[in-house]
């Protein structure tokens, strides 16, 4: 999932100075059970099924990892805005919500090895901007290479309004490269941005391709489509991973081992193809 300063981004910077004061004890634990927080509304990564049970790529992957680690797992729902703060406050032990590893986030939490890596794209009303392009343009965070690659997108979006979920890894990218040509509107969730796109209040939404595919598969969203190429590569960081507290290196090590095993035996690829219809293994 990708990310003006928002509450979410403020957490990344302000928590650095407070971790020594409010961090959770670094004592080693046996880890017979863990609590994992997820959003429960960022499908197909995670979603809330009828009856309240959590489903999707990440809950199913987490169930497999917990079995490998012989640990009892409990999934809880947490709004994205407070997820990192809640982790460091000890409300749960792991956060798993299509969280991209970035240098800024690594200042306040630790990450497991990545279990996915995905590109992003614009979503618009069919025929309103650029035609869909399945090509993936791989970008680094170098303006000299980014600007020429996105020039057609900037031209198409000039004077338009772009919706973006606040605090994602995509938010600063949109602010940096598109705010000079378009109005940028931030939303609490990606789903809210899609609703405003459907209502005609904005012209485009920028988000993860897997989330976009899930939205476009819904019958009431058949008038939406991808617009332009997919943007991927190192610009989005190292990939999606689970977040743990800085002190919990023992838990990180166990999760790393389980993730590597699930990647090696094809479990992650199998779940990826089930939920995303494509292989997102890093």
């Amino acid at each position: 999932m990708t990310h003006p300063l928002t509450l979410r981004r403020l957490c990344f910077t302000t928590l650095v100075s407070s971790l020594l004061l409010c961090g959770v004890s670094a004592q080693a634990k046996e880890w017979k059970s863990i609590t994992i927080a997820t959003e429960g509304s960022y499908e197909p990564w995670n979603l809330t099924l009828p009856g309240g049970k959590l489903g999707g790529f990440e809950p199913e992957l987490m169930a497999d990892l917990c079995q490998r680690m012989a640990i009892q797992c409990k999934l809880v729902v947490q709004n994205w805005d407070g997820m990192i703060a809640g982790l460091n406050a000890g409300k749960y032990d792991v956060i798993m919500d299509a969280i991209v590893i970035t240098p800024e986030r690594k200042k306040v939490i630790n990450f497991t090895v990545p279990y996915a890596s995905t590109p992003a794209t614009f979503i618009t009303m069919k025929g309103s901007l650029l035609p869909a392009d399945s090509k993936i343009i791989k970008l680094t965070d170098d303006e000299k290479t980014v600007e020429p690659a996105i020039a057609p997108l900037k031209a198409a979006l000039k004077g338009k309004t772009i919706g973006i979920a606040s605090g994602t890894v995509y938010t600063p990218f949109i602010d940096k490269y598109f705010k000079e040509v378009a109005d940028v509107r931030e939303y609490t969730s990606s789903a809210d941005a899609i609703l405003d796109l459907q209502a005609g209040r904005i012209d485009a939404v920028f988000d993860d391709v897997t989330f976009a595919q899930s939205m476009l598969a819904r019958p009431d969203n058949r008038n939406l489509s991808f617009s332009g190429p997919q943007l991927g590569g190192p610009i989005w960081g190292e990939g999606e991973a689970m977040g743990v507290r800085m002190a919990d290196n023992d838990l990180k090590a166990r999760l790393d081992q389980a993730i590597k095993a699930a990647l090696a035996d094809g479990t992650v690829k199998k779940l990826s193809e089930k939920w995303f219809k494509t292989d997102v293994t890093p």
Side-chain angles (χ1 to χ4, degrees):
M1 230 181 232
T2 340
H3 307 5
L5 280 178
T6 65
L7 180 61
R8 208 178 307 184
R9 291 183 65 197
L10 285 172
C11 289
F12 303 151
T13 54
T14 59
L15 278 173
V16 175
S17 60
S18 64
L19 284 177
L20 293 177
L21 297 176
C22 63
V24 177
S25 171
Q27 292 179 350
K29 301 179 183 179
E30 292 186 34
W31 298 111
K32 293 181 179 179
S33 65
I34 58 174
T35 300
I36 306 102
T38 192
E39 196 172 354
S41 61
Y42 193 68
E43 61 179 87
W45 293 84
N46 54 79
L47 62 149
T48 303
L49 301 170
K53 184 179 179 181
L54 290 169
F57 170 71
E58 289 176 317
E60 289 196 6
L61 175 58
M62 195 71 235
D64 177 87
L65 300 179
C66 289
Q67 186 175 15
R68 293 174 191 268
M69 296 185 294
I71 289 178
Q72 184 178 358
C73 292
K74 178 184 178 183
L75 286 171
V76 297
V77 173
Q78 166 68 53
N79 288 339
W80 168 243
D81 282 342
M83 196 170 284
I84 290 177
L87 174 68
N88 283 321
K91 291 175 63 177
Y92 28 77
D93 307 299
V94 179
I95 54 177
M96 189 181 197
D97 194 40
I99 304 168
V100 175
I101 304 169
T102 65
E104 189 176 34
R105 291 173 179 169
K106 287 169 76 172
K107 294 176 183 178
V108 293
I109 61 173
N110 207 346
F111 284 97
T112 64
V113 294
Y115 52 83
S117 181
T118 57
T121 191
F122 281 100
I123 311 166
T124 64
M125 302 294 286
K126 283 184 177 178
S128 62
L129 291 177
L130 296 174
D133 186 345
S134 60
K135 178 175 64 177
I136 299 177
I137 298 176
K138 293 192 175 182
L139 304 173
T140 62
D141 196 12
D142 179 357
E143 290 185 41
K144 293 180 180 178
T145 59
V146 173
E147 285 288 1
I150 65 172
L153 287 166
K154 291 181 74 171
L157 287 159
K158 186 175 181 179
K160 306 294 185 181
T161 301
I162 302 169
I164 184 80
S166 64
T168 68
V169 72
Y170 309 124
T171 312
F173 171 80
I174 293 296
D175 285 344
K176 181 176 181 178
Y177 291 105
F178 288 88
K179 212 165 188 179
E180 64 185 53
V181 298
D183 179 37
V184 177
R185 191 172 301 174
E186 294 191 19
Y187 292 83
T188 302
S189 72
S190 299
D192 288 342
I194 293 293
L195 289 174
D196 265 11
L197 177 62
Q198 281 282 27
R201 289 186 280 268
I202 59 177
D203 302 292
V205 172
F206 190 71
D207 214 302
D208 183 274
V209 166
T210 56
F211 169 78
Q213 287 172 331
S214 177
M215 290 295 100
L216 268 57
R218 293 183 174 186
D220 53 346
N221 287 335
R222 287 176 181 167
N223 57 337
L224 303 181
S225 69
F226 289 173
S227 185
Q230 299 177 20
L231 306 180
I235 194 169
W236 306 137
E238 301 171 41
E240 285 88 355
M242 282 173 267
V244 298
R245 288 180 288 271
M246 291 285 198
D248 293 336
N249 289 320
D250 46 353
L251 178 57
K252 168 182 158 49
R254 293 187 67 176
L255 288 165
D256 283 348
Q257 184 179 14
I259 293 169
K260 289 175 182 178
L263 286 166
D265 69 12
T267 297
V268 177
K269 180 179 179 181
K270 180 180 178 181
L271 290 174
S272 169
E273 290 173 342
K274 172 184 176 180
W275 287 99
F276 302 133
K277 312 306 180 189
T278 188
D279 183 7
V280 301
T281 54

